[in-house]
Amino acid sequence: MMPGNNEIAIIPLPIIDAGIDVSYYYGNSIGLSATTGLNNYSWTPSATLSNSSISNPVASPTQTTTYTVSASQNGCYNSDDITVTVISLPSADAGGDLAMCFGDEISLTGNPTGDNVSTFGTFSGTGIISGTNDFSSSISGEGIFTLTYTYTDV
């Protein structure tokens, strides 16, 4: 009997990177991008992705979600994770309805609420004194006026 030899080839795992964790506002979508040039991409969970079998799907989760992407090269698989943090949209409270006498002025205050709220918004509409949140009935005249409170988180 002759002795035989076997060779075993050790193939390195593919290098896959799902990217850094990201945050975005609820109701939007965000593009994910894993290392390109690999085979058999599979993202999980897949329900909130545009396509779970490509390297760069668009994600639209409604709550913070950790996605795992796996892919192969030369028959070997590897995976990586990315967390998409969903920030809820702020809401704005313009306060209650008011009644005032002609000639009066009032300083209006609104209250934004939600994640990452750090500044206040502005009022607009007939009777608002330019550059302020003050309402003047001398500017508006008599009547009923709808004022809008706008908050933008920059």
Side-chain angles (χ1 to χ4, degrees), residues 59-74:
S60 302
T62 57
Q63 61 188 11
T64 297
T65 303
T66 298
Y67 293 99
T68 300
V69 60
S70 65
S72 69
Q73 188 174 45
N74 300 319

Side-chain angles (χ1 to χ4, degrees), residues 10-83:
I10 307 299
I11 301 169
L13 292 175
I15 297 171
I16 187 164
D17 183 6
I20 61 171
D21 293 347
V22 294
S23 297
Y24 84 110
Y25 283 103
Y26 177 85
N28 293 317
S29 58
I30 190 162
L32 304 180
S33 183
T35 305
T36 60
L38 301 175
N39 302 306
N40 304 310
Y41 289 94
S42 178
W43 291 84
T44 56
S46 61
T48 57
L49 297 174
S50 61
N51 184 334
S52 64
S53 61
I54 59 175
S55 67
N56 58 343
V58 174
S60 302
T62 57
Q63 61 188 11
T64 297
T65 303
T66 298
Y67 293 99
T68 300
V69 60
S70 65
S72 69
Q73 188 174 45
N74 300 319
C76 296
Y77 283 82
N78 205 356
S79 63
D80 192 30
D81 296 331
I82 183 172
T83 298

Side-chain angles (χ1 to χ4, degrees), residues 82-96:
I82 183 172
T83 298
V84 176
T85 301
V86 178
I87 301 169
S88 51
L89 293 173
S91 61
D93 179 1

Side-chain angles (χ1 to χ4, degrees), residues 90-140:
S91 61
D93 179 1
D97 293 344
L98 303 169
M100 59 193 301
C101 296
F102 181 78
D104 287 348
E105 279 188 17
I106 189 168
S107 183
L108 302 171
T109 56
N111 295 306
T113 59
D115 297 336
N116 297 327
V117 172
S118 59
T119 60
F120 290 94
T122 57
F123 282 89
S124 60
T126 302
I128 295 295
I129 299 171
S130 180
T132 72
N133 279 337
D134 296 337
F135 177 85
S136 171
S137 62
S138 297
I139 294 172
S140 68

